Amino acid sequence: MAYQVNGKVVESTETGYLVNQADWDKAVATEIARGEGLDLTQDHWDVIEYLRDQYFNHSGELPNNRHILKGMQEVWSDRKVDNKTLFDLFPGNPSKQAGRIAGLPESMRKGGY
């Protein structure tokens, strides 16, 4: 599987995760999201940037939905954030779908922590 972005082929796994994380940029993220039926808003970008920060600046951490929820509550302190908020943004599971759009590797956790 591959994505076509600005005339360039970006390779991905059969589940849509980038093979090479260095290929990621906002245009790639937008193309992945478009393929998943999402039109990225600032709220989407806030989650994507949070995930990328956690992964690249915290020893490769791939936050689960609970940790994303806590992180977004800090970012969006002016409003209530709950699971519905995250699933409205990323209906395909926030940690997995947003992680794929953020260009992060696929999480292999099977639930729990």
Side-chain angles (χ1 to χ4, degrees), residues 30-95:
T30 301
E31 182 60 27
I32 295 170
R34 188 188 63 72
E36 298 194 17
L38 298 177
D39 185 21
L40 299 178
T41 65
Q42 184 57 52
D43 285 351
H44 289 97
W45 286 113
D46 288 345
V47 174
I48 291 165
E49 289 166 3
Y50 169 78
L51 290 174
R52 289 185 61 80
D53 175 66
Q54 291 299 300
Y55 183 76
F56 290 109
N57 298 320
H58 295 91
S59 303
E61 179 183 335
L62 293 168
N64 62 19
N65 290 345
R66 181 176 177 212
H67 288 104
I68 296 170
L69 187 63
K70 286 182 178 184
M72 292 299 91
Q73 187 61 63
E74 291 178 21
V75 173
W76 301 326
S77 60
D78 61 331
R79 56 186 149 147
K80 183 178 187 271
V81 181
D82 57 17
N83 272 324
K84 182 180 181 328
T85 306
L86 295 179
F87 276 90
D88 285 347
L89 291 170
F90 297 100
N93 185 326
S95 68

Side-chain angles (χ1 to χ4, degrees), residues 9-29:
V9 175
V10 178
E11 293 296 322
S12 69
T13 65
E14 65 182 44
T15 54
Y17 290 84
L18 296 184
V19 170
N20 183 356
Q21 294 166 2
D23 287 338
W24 187 90
D25 62 20
K26 287 191 172 191
V28 171

Side-chain angles (χ1 to χ4, degrees), residues 91-107:
N93 185 326
S95 68
K96 294 198 178 276
Q97 188 175 35
R100 183 171 37 255
I101 294 167
L104 303 180
E106 186 170 9
S107 170

